[in-house]
Amino acid sequence: MARLGAGHDAALNELMERHAAKLFNYLVRSLQDENDAADLAQETFIRVFQNRTNFDTRMKFSTWLYAIATNLVKDRYRHRTRHPQVSLDAENEATGESFRESVPEQKPTPSEFLQGAERAEVVRKAVGQLTEELRAPLILSEYEELSHAEIGEILECSAKAVETRLYRARNQLRDKLARLLDDSA
């Protein structure tokens, strides 16, 4: 990052190679949409480049990167709230049928029948249903393996607040997934 800030624009490629995959995974888990995640991953690195001279080299780069990405996720959720999309399960007023019935059916892939894939989907949906306040620290902790202090820097709160949010997120997930956990026992 110091090289990028000093005018070596090619250093951005090295940063992208090093961090793009983990950032993309974080964004997919946060947004529940690969296309949105890809867009925001690109936007995150654009912001890194645009603000390269503002980076404090005493800071950890990944913390700064995830802070930018988390703010973009918040912006995307605000946009989704203001611009809701029509569900395929919604009723078409003209025909009285759901939109899903007018879309050609796709056969499920064999992997969709695997129990592990089903559980992963249930967990993904349950995580997606958490509020942003609880979802972001959970993803940063569990999937990105960041410390409470790093998460606190990203979310601009104390490590203790992160700990509390993680506790609440895990309790909510435990309640939502109780049936799944009982089935696997």
Side-chain angles (χ1 to χ4, degrees):
M1 193 58 209
R3 287 182 36 235
L4 182 63
H8 299 280
D9 294 348
L12 181 64
N13 292 335
E14 293 174 29
L15 290 171
M16 289 173 65
E17 286 176 17
R18 193 175 311 142
H19 298 280
K22 284 187 77 171
L23 177 68
F24 177 75
N25 289 333
Y26 164 68
L27 291 168
V28 167
R29 290 180 182 111
S30 296
L31 296 166
Q32 309 289 309
D33 184 289
E34 287 189 12
N35 292 327
D36 281 351
D39 289 345
L40 289 193
Q42 289 178 353
E43 180 64 26
T44 301
F45 283 109
I46 289 169
R47 300 264 174 106
V48 165
F49 184 76
Q50 290 171 338
N51 295 295
R52 64 192 178 277
T53 57
N54 299 335
F55 179 70
D56 181 356
T57 55
R58 295 172 296 178
M59 254 181 97
K60 189 173 178 184
F61 173 73
S62 61
T63 301
W64 188 58
L65 180 72
Y66 282 103
I68 293 169
T70 299
N71 287 329
L72 289 171
V73 167
K74 289 176 186 177
D75 291 345
R76 184 60 54 106
Y77 272 105
R78 279 193 287 272
H79 180 269
R80 284 181 181 174
T81 301
R82 290 186 210 121
H83 305 92
Q85 297 178 353
V86 175
S87 168
L88 290 176
D89 295 324
E91 185 176 298
N92 182 340
E93 293 179 20
T95 64
E97 298 176 343
S98 73
F99 287 110
R100 186 178 303 280
E101 293 173 10
S102 63
V103 174
E105 186 174 332
Q106 293 180 351
K107 293 186 178 186
T109 63
S111 64
E112 291 175 347
F113 292 105
L114 296 173
Q115 185 178 17
E118 291 173 358
R119 286 183 179 165
E121 181 67 15
V122 170
V123 171
R124 185 188 64 76
K125 284 183 179 180
V127 169
Q129 292 172 351
L130 292 172
T131 64
E132 174 65 23
E133 178 184 42
L134 301 180
R135 182 177 51 249
L138 182 72
I139 292 170
L140 290 169
S141 175
E142 296 299 325
Y143 296 106
E144 303 307 320
E145 299 177 354
L146 298 179
S147 70
H148 292 183
E150 291 172 316
I151 296 168
E153 284 184 50
I154 291 168
L155 300 178
E156 299 176 347
C157 64
S158 68
K160 186 65 177 171
V162 169
E163 186 178 329
T164 300
R165 290 176 188 180
L166 287 171
Y167 175 80
R168 289 177 40 215
R170 289 177 180 134
N171 280 341
Q172 285 185 21
L173 280 178
R174 191 174 294 114
D175 292 343
K176 288 179 183 184
L177 300 173
R179 184 178 46 83
L180 175 66
L181 295 174
D182 289 342
D183 290 345
S184 67

